[in-house]
Amino acid sequence: MTSQSASAPVSPSVSQPPILLREQVGDVAVLTLNRPDARNSLSERLIAALTTELRHIHDDLSVRVVVIAASGKAFSAGHDIKELTARRNDADRGRAYFAEIMRACSTMMQTIVHLPKPVVAAVQGIATAAGCQLVATCDLAIASEAATFATPGVDIGLFCSTPMVALSRNIPRKQAMEMLLTGEPISAATARDIGLVNRVVPAGHERNAAIELAQKVAGKSAYTIKIGKTAFYRQAEMSLAEAYRYTAEVMTENMMARDAEEGIGAFIDKRKPKWQDK
C-alpha cells in the first residue's frame, strides 16, 4: 500500500509546494527532495526539513528502511550558493550564518548515520558537493547510468571539506583526493567501481531499484539490522583489536536476542522466520 504526505514540519507554507515529500511504500519511507528548479540544492529549510523527518522516522515502527530520492533532473547540487552568498552583507560577512549552516548540514548527515534504519539513496542525475556527501553518507546507493558525481568546490575557491568526511570514508584515498583536488565529475559506472554506489541501473529505474533493494532489507529483523548498522559505523573508527573486542560483545548480545533464536531455529527447521524485532 502506498500513501503520500508532507507533514507540517516539512512544509511551513501552504502557498508553496513542499520542499520535501514523504511517501510510504510498505515498510519503506521514501523521502523526496523537492526543489527541482534549484537542482535540489540543500537550502537551510531543506536541511531542516530532512533532519526533522529523519528524527520522526527514528521511532516510527511503520518504517524499516528509508529511501532518499529527488525530483527533477538533479539529485542535489549541494549547498544553496545563492542563499549563502546573500549573507555576505551581514556585519560579520556571513561567518556566523556559514558556521550555522555547516553545523546543521553536518548534523543532518550524522542523523542518517545514527538512524537505526538503513538509508538508500536513489540518484538520477548530478550529485555534487554536499549532494555527493549525501550519497556517500547513505548506507546504500543506487544510481542511474546518467548520474554523475563531483566535489567541485575547488573550482570556486571553496574546498569541499565537509563532503570530504563522507567521501573519504566510502572510497579509496587516491580516488577521493583526485575528486577533491580536480573537481572533475565521475560517471555512475566509475562511482560503482570505486565503491561510492552499489549498483547502476538504466535511467528512470533508479527509484524503483532503490525501493526494491530497501524492501529486501525491510524483510529482515529490524532489531538485527539496528544493532548491525550501529556496530558497523562504531567499529570502523576503532583499532583492529578494539573492533574485534567490541563486535564480539555485540554478537554475544545478538545471540541472546529473540530474533536470533527464532532465525537460527527457522534455518534449522527449514522454514521462514517470524521476526519479533527484539
Side-chain angles (χ1 to χ4, degrees), residues 20 22 24 27-31 49-68 106-121 134 137-140 214 217 221-234:
L20 183 67
R22 176 172 171 175
Q24 192 81 14
D27 296 325
V28 179
V30 182
L31 303 182
L50 191 50
T51 303
T52 298
E53 203 64 26
L54 288 167
R55 286 174 174 166
H56 287 164
I57 285 171
H58 187 282
D59 298 315
D60 186 343
L61 298 180
S62 73
V63 178
R64 300 173 80 89
V65 185
V66 178
V67 168
I68 296 181
S106 296
T107 296
M108 184 265 287
M109 299 294 176
Q110 291 177 80
T111 300
I112 293 172
V113 174
H114 297 314
L115 192 72
K117 303 159 187 188
V119 181
V120 186
L134 180 56
T137 299
C138 290
D139 305 299
L140 302 168
V217 178
S221 159
Y223 176 78
T224 302
I225 294 296
K226 173 184 176 180
I227 63 173
K229 176 175 173 176
T230 300
F232 180 88
Y233 290 109
R234 285 192 62 184

Side-chain angles (χ1 to χ4, degrees), residues 60-174:
D60 186 343
L61 298 180
S62 73
V63 178
R64 300 173 80 89
V65 185
V66 178
V67 168
I68 296 181
S71 301
K73 296 181 179 180
F75 177 75
S76 176
H79 285 290
D80 190 325
I81 297 299
K82 291 182 179 178
E83 185 178 75
L84 294 175
T85 302
R87 300 305 289 263
R88 289 287 190 190
N89 295 323
D90 292 357
D92 64 352
R93 297 182 55 242
R95 176 181 288 273
Y97 182 74
F98 301 155
E100 175 57 25
I101 283 293
M102 297 307 158
R103 183 206 62 77
C105 189
S106 296
T107 296
M108 184 265 287
M109 299 294 176
Q110 291 177 80
T111 300
I112 293 172
V113 174
H114 297 314
L115 192 72
K117 303 159 187 188
V119 181
V120 186
V123 189
Q124 82 280 31
I126 63 164
T128 57
C132 185
Q133 178 186 4
L134 180 56
V135 175
T137 299
C138 290
D139 305 299
L140 302 168
I142 301 292
S144 156
E145 59 189 8
T148 58
F149 305 82
T151 48
V154 68
D155 293 336
I156 58 171
L158 184 66
F159 200 85
C160 285
S161 297
T162 46
M164 173 176 66
V165 175
L167 189 67
S168 64
R169 283 163 168 74
N170 269 245
I171 68 175
R173 182 173 297 184
K174 291 292 192 296

Side-chain angles (χ1 to χ4, degrees), residues 38 48 59 64 92-93 116 118 123 180 187 201-203 210 230 240 246 250 258 265 270 278:
D59 298 315
R64 300 173 80 89
D92 64 352
R93 297 182 55 242
V123 189
L180 292 160
S187 67
V201 298
T230 300
L240 183 65
Y246 164 65
V250 171
R258 293 292 185 188
K270 294 181 172 53
K278 59 184 180 179

